[in-house]
């Protein structure tokens, strides 16, 4: 049984230190030594040891946690998990009424508003997908391309971030929907540069299939909250696997 939470040390301490530098994390509380008594003590006063700020603790196992990590080694538990608190995000285009969890939807709306103000238009291709929908999608890809090939771009049901209601596929209507050329579009570039400010990470970056298990998906953004997205941005760590100190998950 894996633990239900993970304390992040080492790499993430970088994030902690950066947060401290920004003044957003609690400052270390130094241990206070007792005031010297009137009678000198024969033993020397111990040197005060500063207490480091606590390492952030993230729940990466609970499928309802915004920091849950799902990959080929980490199925959702339960496999048929159904996300709650789903809403239809507005602001961005959403012709098919795709759903996201409320917190992710609100963040997407903030991102869409700022993008629109920057002249960037975007629309949702895919948001929440149930176990049953993912099963249908995945089986369709396996029938078309074979299982080995399908596994490089589609998740087995119970292993997809879309099943958490925290992942969204975006497009700008320029003809690159679900193609890597989306990275070169104005929307793709704006998202790659700015999504972290709204709590989203580009979940499957170029060249990391050996870690994430998936090819480059410049359209797929995962909501993790601004604490993690900012720490990743500041540290230069681009995969959740590396950020949380997890093993690479290239295959099932
Ligand atoms: Zn996706």
């Amino acid at each position: 049984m894996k633990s239900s939470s993970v304390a992040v040390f080492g790499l993430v301490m970088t994030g902690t230190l950066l947060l401290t530098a920004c003044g957003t994390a609690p400052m270390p509380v130094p241990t206070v030594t007792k005031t010297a008594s009137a009678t000198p003590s024969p033993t020397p006063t111990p040197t005060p040891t500063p207490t480091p700020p606590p390492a952030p603790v993230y729940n990466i196992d609970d499928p309802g946690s915004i920091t849950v990590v799902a990959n080929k080694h980490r199925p959702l538990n339960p496999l048929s998990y159904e996300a709650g608190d789903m809403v239809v995000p507005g602001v961005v285009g959403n012709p098919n009424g795709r759903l996201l969890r409320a917190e992710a939807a609100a963040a997407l709306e903030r991102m869409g508003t700022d993008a629109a103000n920057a002249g960037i238009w975007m629309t949702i291709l895919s948001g929440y997908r149930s176990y049953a929908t993912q099963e249908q999608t995945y089986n369709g890809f396996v029938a078309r391309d074979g299982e080995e090939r399908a596994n490089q771009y589609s998740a087995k049901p119970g292993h997809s971030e879309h099943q958490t209601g925290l992942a969204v596929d975006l497009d700008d209507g320029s003809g690159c929907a679900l193609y890597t050329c989306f990275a070169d579009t104005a929307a793709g570039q704006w998202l790659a540069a700015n999504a972290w400010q709204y709590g989203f990470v580009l979940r499957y970056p170029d060249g990391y299939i050996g870690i994430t298990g998936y090819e480059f998906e410049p359209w797929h953004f995962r909501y993790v909250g601004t604490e993690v997205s900012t720490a990743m941005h500041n540290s230069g760590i681009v995969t959740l696997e590396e950020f949380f100190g997890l093993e690479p998950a290239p295959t099932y």
Side-chain angles (χ1 to χ4, degrees):
M1 187 71 188
K2 291 194 177 81
S3 69
S4 63
S5 62
V6 60
V8 185
F9 303 105
L11 289 173
V12 178
M13 283 304 291
T14 309
T16 304
L17 293 170
L18 287 164
L19 283 172
T20 304
C22 296
T24 54
M27 293 301 292
V29 181
T31 304
V32 180
T33 50
K34 285 180 182 171
T35 312
S37 59
T39 314
S41 168
T43 52
T45 307
T47 310
T49 311
T51 306
V57 176
Y58 300 108
N59 188 328
I60 62 169
D61 295 335
D62 179 350
S65 164
I66 61 164
T67 52
V68 65
V69 179
N71 63 27
K72 290 174 180 175
H73 290 188
R74 297 177 54 83
L76 296 173
N77 183 15
L79 268 184
S80 58
Y81 168 73
E82 289 183 34
D85 69 303
M86 301 276 233
V87 298
V88 179
V91 179
V92 296
N94 195 359
N96 296 308
R98 302 298 190 195
L99 296 163
L100 288 180
R101 284 189 57 200
E103 185 177 337
L108 180 65
E109 289 175 350
R110 285 193 293 277
M111 185 162 76
T113 300
D114 289 352
N117 289 334
I120 304 293
W121 178 86
M122 60 180 82
T123 194
I124 300 175
L125 293 175
S126 187
Y128 168 67
R129 291 201 294 263
S130 68
Y131 180 96
T133 303
Q134 187 66 25
E135 191 171 38
Q136 225 173 16
T137 305
Y138 175 78
N139 288 344
F141 288 136
V142 169
R144 188 186 72 183
D145 291 341
E147 183 168 354
E148 190 181 343
R149 176 72 191 114
N151 284 344
Q152 295 175 341
Y153 64 84
S154 181
K156 290 184 179 180
H159 294 73
S160 172
E161 288 199 321
H162 284 283
Q163 196 177 321
T164 68
L166 297 169
V168 63
D169 295 334
L170 296 167
D171 184 40
D172 68 352
S174 62
C176 282
L178 307 179
Y179 284 97
T180 52
C181 61
F182 180 69
D184 303 319
T185 65
Q189 295 196 340
W190 189 92
L191 284 165
N194 296 294
W196 68 272
Q197 299 183 59
Y198 306 90
F200 287 92
V201 295
L202 195 163
R203 178 67 175 96
Y204 304 118
D206 195 7
Y208 286 83
I209 190 171
I211 292 174
T212 66
Y214 294 97
E215 293 177 338
F216 184 32
E217 292 195 0
W219 58 85
H220 178 112
F221 289 85
R222 160 66 196 278
Y223 182 75
V224 291
T226 52
E227 189 174 306
V228 168
S229 65
T230 301
M232 287 177 70
H233 174 80
N234 289 343
S235 64
I237 296 172
V238 296
T239 67
L240 293 181
E241 284 79 9
E242 292 166 295
F243 183 77
F244 290 119
L246 301 170
E247 63 188 1
T251 55
Y252 288 103

